[in-house]
Amino acid sequence: MRKLVMLLLLFAGSCNKYDLPKCEFDDATQDLIWLKDIIEEREANPTDDMMYCYIVQGKLNKRPVFVLGDCNPLVNKVIFVLDCEGNAIEEDGRKIGANEVDIKNQKIIWQPENFACDLDL
């Protein structure tokens, strides 16, 4: 019986495609130091391109993830998905782009005052 339980636990653990850390916070923009630092840096050093930048929080495999987005229509760049520790999520050693996964419950948690985009999340 014990072997069966161990086998089931091993199988259940391998169902998660991405190994995402667990984390808890009340307000990601204040409680996650790496994210707070990014926001403070952006607000302290605004640029003309900043009006296209935003940060989205969502869930991937029921774990919080973050996307540092850019909606500039003149720029085409890959936007990576970050875990709650600020690390880019990878699959087989390749960073995962935000358009490659189904992020649930997306909401914008930061955008500049002069935000130029109309996003439908």
Side-chain angles (χ1 to χ4, degrees):
M1 180 69 173
R2 185 173 189 204
K3 287 182 182 181
L4 177 61
V5 170
M6 293 298 283
L7 183 61
L8 288 174
L9 287 174
L10 178 64
F11 178 70
S14 66
C15 289
N16 189 351
K17 186 173 182 177
Y18 306 103
D19 187 24
L20 301 173
K22 285 186 178 180
C23 64
E24 293 184 20
F25 51 83
D26 292 320
D27 179 352
T29 63
Q30 297 299 310
D31 299 341
L32 301 178
I33 300 302
W34 64 270
L35 187 58
K36 184 177 180 180
D37 289 346
I38 288 172
I39 292 169
E40 287 175 354
E41 175 68 24
R42 288 180 174 192
E43 290 177 347
N45 302 296
T47 65
D48 290 339
D49 291 329
M50 189 67 63
M51 70 171 130
Y52 300 108
C53 296
Y54 60 99
I55 300 175
V56 167
Q57 178 182 332
K59 292 202 178 268
L60 180 61
N61 293 341
K62 300 180 182 177
R63 301 272 172 94
V65 293
F66 302 89
V67 176
L68 307 182
D70 186 326
C71 55
N72 187 336
L74 303 177
V75 176
N76 185 16
K77 67 180 178 179
V78 177
I79 299 172
F80 299 111
V81 180
L82 307 175
D83 64 22
C84 65
E85 295 174 348
N87 302 312
I89 298 171
E90 297 186 4
E91 180 179 32
D92 299 328
R94 184 183 63 81
K95 293 178 182 174
I96 301 299
N99 62 342
E100 298 178 71
V101 290
D102 186 20
I103 300 172
K104 307 282 187 195
N105 303 333
Q106 294 186 49
K107 64 180 179 180
I108 295 176
I109 59 172
W110 180 86
Q111 66 188 31
E113 288 183 23
N114 64 337
F115 192 51
C117 302
D118 184 22
L119 302 177
D120 185 26
L121 297 181

